[in-house]
Short mmCIF file of all heavy atoms in Angstrom, two decimals:
data_model
loop_
_atom_site.label_atom_id
_atom_site.label_comp_id
_atom_site.label_asym_id
_atom_site.label_seq_id
_atom_site.Cartn_x
_atom_site.Cartn_y
_atom_site.Cartn_z
N ALA K 76 44.55 11.64 -7.87
CA ALA K 76 44.26 10.32 -8.44
C ALA K 76 42.75 10.12 -8.50
O ALA K 76 42.01 10.64 -7.67
CB ALA K 76 44.90 9.23 -7.60
N LEU K 77 42.35 9.37 -9.50
CA LEU K 77 40.94 9.00 -9.66
C LEU K 77 40.89 7.51 -9.95
O LEU K 77 41.61 7.03 -10.84
CB LEU K 77 40.32 9.77 -10.83
CG LEU K 77 38.90 9.38 -11.22
CD1 LEU K 77 37.93 9.79 -10.12
CD2 LEU K 77 38.51 10.02 -12.53
N VAL K 78 40.08 6.78 -9.18
CA VAL K 78 39.94 5.34 -9.40
C VAL K 78 38.46 5.04 -9.59
O VAL K 78 37.63 5.44 -8.77
CB VAL K 78 40.50 4.53 -8.20
CG1 VAL K 78 40.31 3.04 -8.44
CG2 VAL K 78 41.96 4.87 -7.97
N TRP K 79 38.16 4.35 -10.68
CA TRP K 79 36.79 3.98 -10.99
C TRP K 79 36.45 2.67 -10.27
O TRP K 79 37.35 1.94 -9.86
CB TRP K 79 36.62 3.81 -12.50
CG TRP K 79 36.91 5.06 -13.26
CD1 TRP K 79 38.00 5.30 -14.02
CD2 TRP K 79 36.12 6.24 -13.34
NE1 TRP K 79 37.95 6.56 -14.56
CE2 TRP K 79 36.80 7.17 -14.16
CE3 TRP K 79 34.91 6.63 -12.77
CZ2 TRP K 79 36.30 8.43 -14.44
CZ3 TRP K 79 34.41 7.90 -13.05
CH2 TRP K 79 35.10 8.78 -13.88
N PRO K 80 35.16 2.36 -10.11
CA PRO K 80 34.78 1.12 -9.42
C PRO K 80 35.40 -0.15 -10.02
O PRO K 80 35.62 -1.12 -9.30
CB PRO K 80 33.25 1.09 -9.55
CG PRO K 80 32.87 2.53 -9.64
CD PRO K 80 33.99 3.18 -10.43
N ASP K 81 35.70 -0.14 -11.32
CA ASP K 81 36.30 -1.34 -11.94
C ASP K 81 37.80 -1.45 -11.66
O ASP K 81 38.45 -2.38 -12.12
CB ASP K 81 36.04 -1.37 -13.44
CG ASP K 81 36.77 -0.29 -14.22
OD1 ASP K 81 37.54 0.49 -13.62
OD2 ASP K 81 36.58 -0.23 -15.45
N GLY K 82 38.36 -0.48 -10.92
CA GLY K 82 39.77 -0.52 -10.57
C GLY K 82 40.67 0.26 -11.50
O GLY K 82 41.83 0.49 -11.20
N SER K 83 40.16 0.68 -12.65
CA SER K 83 40.97 1.50 -13.55
C SER K 83 41.03 2.92 -13.00
O SER K 83 40.23 3.30 -12.14
CB SER K 83 40.38 1.51 -14.97
OG SER K 83 39.12 2.15 -14.96
N GLY K 84 41.96 3.68 -13.49
CA GLY K 84 42.06 5.04 -12.99
C GLY K 84 43.17 5.81 -13.65
O GLY K 84 43.76 5.37 -14.64
N ALA K 85 43.43 6.96 -13.10
CA ALA K 85 44.48 7.84 -13.61
C ALA K 85 45.06 8.61 -12.44
O ALA K 85 44.38 8.88 -11.45
CB ALA K 85 43.89 8.80 -14.65
N GLN K 86 46.33 8.98 -12.60
CA GLN K 86 46.97 9.81 -11.59
C GLN K 86 47.92 10.77 -12.27
O GLN K 86 48.47 10.47 -13.33
CB GLN K 86 47.71 8.98 -10.56
CG GLN K 86 48.79 8.10 -11.13
CD GLN K 86 49.37 7.17 -10.08
OE1 GLN K 86 48.86 7.07 -8.97
NE2 GLN K 86 50.45 6.50 -10.42
N LEU K 139 44.50 16.03 -14.89
CA LEU K 139 43.67 14.84 -14.70
C LEU K 139 42.46 14.90 -15.62
O LEU K 139 42.12 13.91 -16.27
CB LEU K 139 43.23 14.73 -13.24
CG LEU K 139 42.38 13.50 -12.93
CD1 LEU K 139 43.20 12.23 -13.11
CD2 LEU K 139 41.84 13.58 -11.51
#
Side-chain angles (χ1 to χ4, degrees):
L77 173 69
V78 179
W79 300 107
D81 69 2
S83 65
Q86 59 187 9
L139 182 66

